[in-house]
Amino acid sequence: MAVVSSQTRVHSTYADLVVDYLAQLGIEWVFGVPGGAIEPLLDALARSARADGPQLVVARHESGAAFMADGYFRETGRMGVVCTTTGPGATNLITGVASARADHVPMLVITAQTALPKFGKRALQESSCTAIDTVAMLKHCTRFSSLVSHVQQLESKLISAIMASHRSPQAPVHLSIPSDLLAARCPPPHRIHADLFSHDFKVADDRAIGVLCRKVLKVDTLAVFIDGEIGPAARKVVEFCELVNAPFVVGMTGKYWVDETHPLYRGVYGFAGHMSARDVFTATRVDLILAVGSSLTELATGGWDKLLLNTRLVHIDANAEHFTRSPMANHHVCSDPALVFERLVAFVKAQLAAGKRWRCCVDPETPVNILGTRASLDAPARCRDVSPPLKPQRLMAALNRMLPPDTHIYVDAGNSWAWMTHYFVNRNYRGLVHLNTGFGSMGWAVGAAVGAAKANPQVLTLCISGDGAYLMSAQEISVAAQHALPVVFLVINDAALGMVMHGQRLARSEPIGWELNRVNYAQQAQSMGVPGVVIQTVEQLEALDFDDFRHMHGPVLLDVRVDREQVPPIAQRVRDLGNARKG
Ligand SMILES: Cc1ncc(C[n+]2csc(CCOP(=O)(O)OP(=O)(O)O)c2C)c(N)n1
C-alpha cells in the first residue's frame, strides 16, 4: 500500500487541507461554479494550480459541473469532484448528483455552507437546517451527506466521505462546509494511506463457485447475459461461452465490452434490443442461463422480463444488493466476475479434456446482418437508405464505418439511446461508450463529454444528443471551447422530443408536448466560438473526416437534421410503461 506524504505542501486553511487530500488521490480537475461562500476553497484551488495540484474547471451550470465530474470519473477511474456555493449553487447540482448515484459513480460533492455565526438569521442563500436545508436535500441522492460543524471534524468527515464513496456500489457523497471553517487556519495534516480510499477489494466465494461448476457440468445447453458492469472481464466470459458453445446476449451497456461480430453473439436484450436476443430464451430450450455484470435494472432486463428472470438463472455479481432483483434464480454467486470466470474456464477445460461436450442452443449458421452481426435488426434496409431526409439508422451505419474505433462516446437520454443500442456496432470492446442508464437525465452527455475530454484531451470524444437533451446543457460547449477540448457534439436534430412523440404514437395516447421549434444549432455553436456544420444529406455526412476532428484544437458541433418519422426500436419499452400503469 502506497504511503503518500502531504507534508511538503504548506497549509494555511482548512480549504487547503481538502485540496491536499484531492492531490493525494491523484485528482487533477475539480468542476464547479464560483460564489461568495465557496471562495475560500477557490482560493485554495488557485494556490494549488500554482503548485501543479488540482485545478478548477468552471462549468456554466452546477448540474453541468456534476455531469463533468461524472465524465471525469468514467475517463480516469478516479473519483469526480464538484464544488459549488451555498443555496442555489447546491440546489442546481441535484440532478447531476442524483444521476451519479443512480449510475454508481463515486463523486465528492462539496457545497459551501453559510458561515456558522449567520445560521438562522436569514443570511443570503442560507442553507442551514433552519433554512433551505441543502444537507437534507442531498442526503437523498448521496450515500453520505453531512454538515461539518467544527474544524476538528473536517478531516475525519472528509476521510469518511471519500471511503463511503468508493464502497461498492460506488456513490456520490456530500460535505457541506461553512465558509468560515473553510477559511480557518489549519495545522499541517497527517500522512495518509491514499490507496485505502479507493482499494478495490476482490472476493471469491469458493463454495458458491463450486456449486456453479457442478451445475454447469450437469447441463447440456447454456446461454449467457452480459451487462455493462462486467468491464474487461467480458473477455473471460466470452472465452467461457466459446468453450461451452453458449450464445451470449448483452444489456444496452454490456454491448460495449464484447465483440458484436462474434459468431455466438445474438444481440441486445432489453431496451431497444433485438428479437434474436429474446429468441435465445424463447425459441430454444436453454438449460442454464448465467447473468453477469448486471444489477438487473428495468432497461437491461426489458422490465424484469420472466424470459430472463426465471428458475434457470444463475446470477453472478460482486454486489449482493443486486440479488434483490433475482430472488427467483436457482443460484447466486457473490464474487468478482473475473475470478468466477477464471475458475469456470479452468474447470470447463478440464471437463472437455475428460470428454464432456455442450450443445449450442442457437443455429450456428445464422447469417450476418447488414452491420456484420448476428442480431436481428428492425428495418435493416434503412441502414442503406440514402433518400432524404437523413435516416437515423443510416446515420448509425455511417458512424459505424467512419468513427475511429477508439472514439470515446457519451450518449444522451432519448432516441439516441435507442438508435445506438440497436444499430451501433462497437469496435473496441473497452467500454468506451457511456450512457447514464440509471437516471437517464437529458443533457447529461454534454457535460460528461466535457469532463471526460478535460481528463483526456489526447483522444476524440463524441457526444450524441437529441436536440431536446442538447438544449438542456448547450451552454456547456463554451467550456469545451474555453479549454480547447477535442469534442464533437453531434446533435440529432428532429425538431422534436422524438422519444416522447414516438412513445405517444406507439401507446396510442394523445399527441402532446413533443414538438420543438427548428433551431440552427450550428449557428448557436458559432456564437459561442465553436465551429458548427449543418448536415442534411448522406453525402454531407460521409464527407466528414472524424480523424481530422481528432487533431483539432477545440470542439465542433454537427447539427444533423434527421427524418423524425423513423420509428425507433422502443416498442417494448412503451409496452412496459403501459403494463406498469395498468398495474
Ligand atoms: C431531465 C429530463 N427531463 C425529461 C426526461 C423525459 N424524456 C426522456 S427522452 C425525452 C425526449 C428527448 O428528446 P430529444 O433530446 O430531442 O431526443 P430524441 O428522442 O428526439 O432523439 C424526454 C422528454 C428526461 N429523461 N430527463
Side-chain angles (χ1 to χ4, degrees), residues 520-563:
N520 187 324
Y521 296 99
Q523 281 180 0
Q524 190 203 30
Q526 285 159 12
S527 75
M528 289 192 262
V530 175
V533 187
V534 174
I535 305 290
Q536 283 174 304
T537 64
V538 169
E539 294 72 42
Q540 288 168 338
L541 177 67
E542 296 195 332
L544 297 172
D545 184 342
F546 282 86
D547 269 318
D548 266 4
F549 294 144
R550 192 210 288 257
H551 302 298
M552 70 198 172
H553 298 287
V556 64
L557 183 135
L558 308 176
D559 175 349
V560 184
R561 310 279 167 92
V562 299
D563 178 2

Side-chain angles (χ1 to χ4, degrees), residues 413-416 440-442 466-470 472 494 496-500 516:
N415 284 339
S416 309
S441 176
M442 291 162 68
D467 43 354
Y470 177 72
M472 288 197 185
D494 58 358
L497 300 173
M499 183 177 257
V500 174
L516 296 177

Side-chain angles (χ1 to χ4, degrees), residues 43-65:
D43 282 349
L45 284 167
R47 287 189 282 276
S48 155
R50 287 197 293 277
D52 262 351
Q55 296 185 40
L56 178 70
V57 175
V58 177
R60 305 301 179 245
H61 187 282
E62 286 82 354
S63 67

Side-chain angles (χ1 to χ4, degrees), residues 62-126:
E62 286 82 354
S63 67
F67 294 153
M68 288 176 198
D70 183 329
Y72 175 85
F73 160 71
R74 289 174 194 255
E75 193 57 41
T76 62
R78 291 192 285 281
M79 183 177 71
V81 182
V82 60
C83 67
T84 73
T85 196
T86 186
T91 54
N92 265 0
L93 255 185
I94 286 180
T95 301
V97 178
S99 183
R101 177 79 207 237
D103 268 14
H104 303 166
V105 170
M107 186 182 288
L108 177 63
V109 179
I110 301 173
T111 65
Q113 177 58 271
T114 311
L116 286 170
K118 296 189 193 168
F119 270 34
K121 291 181 170 173
R122 295 205 55 179
L124 173 69
Q125 303 174 337
E126 186 174 340

